[in-house]
Amino acid sequence: MRAEIESIVDEIQQAISLLRRHLDWDRAKIRLAELNAAAESPSLWDDPERAQKLMTERQRLDRQIGAVEQLERETQDAVDLIAMGEEEGEASVVTDAENILRQLRADLAKRQVDALLSGEADGNDSFLEVHAGAGGTESQDWALMLLRMYTRWAEQHGLSVELIEENAGEQAGVKSATIQVKGEAAYGWLKTESGVHRLVRISPFDANARRQTSFASVWVYPVVDDTIEIEVNESDCRIDTYRASGSGGQHINTTDSAVRITHLPTGIAVACQNERSQHKNRATAWKMLRARLYELELKKREEAAMATEATKSDIGWGHQIRSYVLQPYQMVKDLRTGVETSNTQAVLNGDLDAFMEAALAQRVSGETKAISDVD
């Protein structure tokens, strides 16, 4: 086998090893066997909600394990074909098998995506918060643009979006807003979007048409279900009620139905105003707080492995994860992975998969390297 092909095979095998480790292969196989057994139980659908969760988890694990096993089979088949072709002097067989390996390497990033969505809460629904940075109307309008971008992305992937809270800007945009994205692996896809997003454009609010730089932050955390236990002492929390505000219609109320809960030990604050009932808003806010505390625990584990600073940071220069330039040229660039595109309108309309896939791959590689260094 030629050196070039040996290098390709080695690269593919390293990727397979990384994916196996990230999936916690033996544990994932055992869990899939358990889920397959549960799926055959006649009493499974006695509890439809639990059954749906089990079937969703089963489908996700089966797809992730299947993707790795398929990659292993195709790689080994191509290697065997090369060996057979070389032994029998069939140059065309060797050439075809080598091309298969080259194609496998080219498709590797796409094949890895499903397996990358294997974190503890990756299969869960997700909360996504957007907060405008300093800069008044400019940043508030940018925050609304980001909210629209993520809503479009979710809709394109068959995910549903529910507005949880919105604090409207004085002239345009939003000061802050929270949505819940519901659907398979919503958190797994969105989790790398946390951070500061920077916009450069000609201001539509400036009569002199000057170029402006605006910042807004995005914060993503998973919805926690009944299978995840998060203890929250009510004595550690401050609960405030206030009159809802927003874009109008069902989001406006004439009573103090909106609820904000602040967890005093951590300073985490959540708010909900999408229901007319204070009781329902309070229940949703408690759910959001449990989710934020769970996300904080996940981040602590990740930081312990990667020894990095938290993603959340000041909303300003030096902390952005992605830059969106509309003037004087067109460019969206992720500052973590280097992925960039000049099709800015497509990105703002929700075309985010390339950025998400690269960030997921980078995170998994970083986690695996950090764990290896510790070992």
Side-chain angles (χ1 to χ4, degrees):
M1 189 183 297
R2 294 186 297 115
E4 178 210 350
I5 301 303
E6 288 181 352
S7 176
I8 291 174
V9 171
D10 184 59
E11 187 177 335
I12 295 172
Q13 289 176 339
Q14 285 183 25
I16 292 172
S17 178
L18 185 152
L19 290 172
R20 277 175 160 266
R21 184 167 187 171
H22 186 67
L23 277 169
D24 195 350
W25 189 256
D26 293 338
R27 184 177 169 186
K29 295 277 283 187
I30 291 171
R31 179 57 178 163
L32 181 58
E34 292 172 349
L35 292 168
N36 286 335
E40 296 175 0
S41 171
S43 62
L44 174 66
W45 290 97
D46 290 349
D47 184 346
E49 186 175 350
R50 176 177 175 274
Q52 188 60 52
K53 289 178 181 177
L54 285 176
M55 296 304 288
T56 298
E57 183 185 0
R58 178 193 181 205
Q59 183 182 40
R60 176 175 58 86
L61 264 181
D62 186 59
R63 185 175 62 249
Q64 292 168 343
I65 291 172
V68 175
E69 290 178 337
Q70 182 181 357
L71 187 57
E72 288 177 321
R73 284 195 305 271
E74 292 178 359
T75 302
Q76 189 58 52
D77 287 349
V79 170
D80 291 344
L81 270 177
I82 290 173
M84 184 187 72
E86 289 177 339
E87 183 178 337
E88 299 180 1
E90 295 283 349
S92 61
V93 172
V94 173
T95 299
D96 289 345
E98 289 179 346
N99 287 335
I100 289 172
L101 286 171
R102 291 189 183 95
Q103 189 61 48
L104 284 175
R105 182 179 63 175
D107 294 343
L108 197 55
K110 187 174 293 185
R111 289 167 176 263
Q112 285 177 308
V113 171
D114 263 354
L116 294 176
L117 299 175
S118 59
E120 186 173 333
D122 283 359
N124 291 29
D125 296 343
S126 181
F127 291 113
L128 183 146
E129 295 180 12
V130 178
H131 296 270
T137 302
E138 285 290 338
S139 293
Q140 291 163 18
D141 188 53
W142 173 222
L144 183 61
M145 290 170 66
L146 286 172
L147 193 66
R148 175 183 176 275
M149 180 181 77
Y150 288 114
T151 299
R152 289 288 182 89
W153 173 84
E155 291 169 348
Q156 290 165 16
H157 288 76
L159 307 175
S160 63
V161 177
E162 179 183 351
L163 181 66
I164 300 297
E165 182 270 339
E166 180 184 281
N167 183 9
E170 286 89 356
Q171 298 180 36
V174 294
K175 295 177 181 177
S176 65
T178 303
I179 57 174
Q180 182 176 346
V181 183
K182 300 178 180 180
E184 185 180 354
Y187 175 68
W189 277 104
L190 287 167
K191 65 183 180 182
T192 58
E193 292 298 295
S194 288
V196 176
H197 297 246
R198 169 178 173 255
L199 172 70
V200 180
R201 65 171 176 175
I202 299 296
S203 171
F205 306 101
D206 188 335
N208 296 316
R210 290 173 293 192
R211 195 164 68 241
Q212 299 281 351
T213 299
S214 305
F215 296 95
S217 69
V218 173
W219 193 241
V220 178
Y221 48 102
V223 175
V224 294
D225 53 34
D226 294 336
T227 64
I228 300 171
E229 295 184 6
I230 302 293
E231 293 294 332
V232 184
N233 294 323
E234 192 163 345
S235 59
D236 289 336
C237 301
R238 185 181 71 245
I239 302 176
D240 301 306
T241 58
Y242 58 98
R243 189 163 299 177
S245 65
S247 54
Q250 64 180 330
H251 301 299
I252 292 292
N253 215 316
T254 56
T255 61
D256 292 344
S257 63
V259 176
R260 180 183 294 108
I261 302 177
T262 304
H263 187 246
L264 300 176
T266 61
I268 290 174
V270 296
C272 180
Q273 66 174 44
N274 68 320
E275 300 285 353
R276 291 186 178 276
S277 162
Q278 184 186 118
H279 176 73
K280 290 181 179 179
N281 284 332
R282 185 184 294 257
T284 300
W286 277 115
K287 186 177 182 180
M288 292 169 66
L289 179 60
R290 290 176 63 241
R292 282 289 300 270
L293 291 172
Y294 177 61
E295 191 271 345
L296 181 64
E297 176 60 29
L298 290 179
K299 188 162 287 295
K300 285 179 180 177
R301 296 180 203 172
E302 181 182 324
E303 289 171 359
M306 299 183 69
T308 58
E309 295 182 354
T311 304
K312 193 172 184 181
S313 54
D314 295 336
I315 308 178
W317 290 100
H319 301 285
Q320 60 264 27
I321 64 167
R322 192 173 301 142
S323 182
Y324 306 70
V325 181
L326 307 185
Q327 291 287 342
Y329 54 90
Q330 302 271 315
M331 180 68 68
V332 178
K333 181 173 182 177
D334 195 290
L335 306 179
R336 303 162 298 176
T337 63
V339 173
E340 62 181 47
T341 178
S342 59
N343 193 349
T344 57
Q345 285 308 307
V347 173
L348 293 174
N349 282 325
D351 188 2
L352 297 168
D353 285 3
F355 298 102
M356 292 177 174
E357 289 172 10
L360 280 168
Q362 184 186 72
R363 175 176 287 203
V364 172
S365 299
E367 288 173 355
T368 304
K369 182 179 184 301
I371 293 170
S372 300
D373 291 344
V374 172
D375 293 345

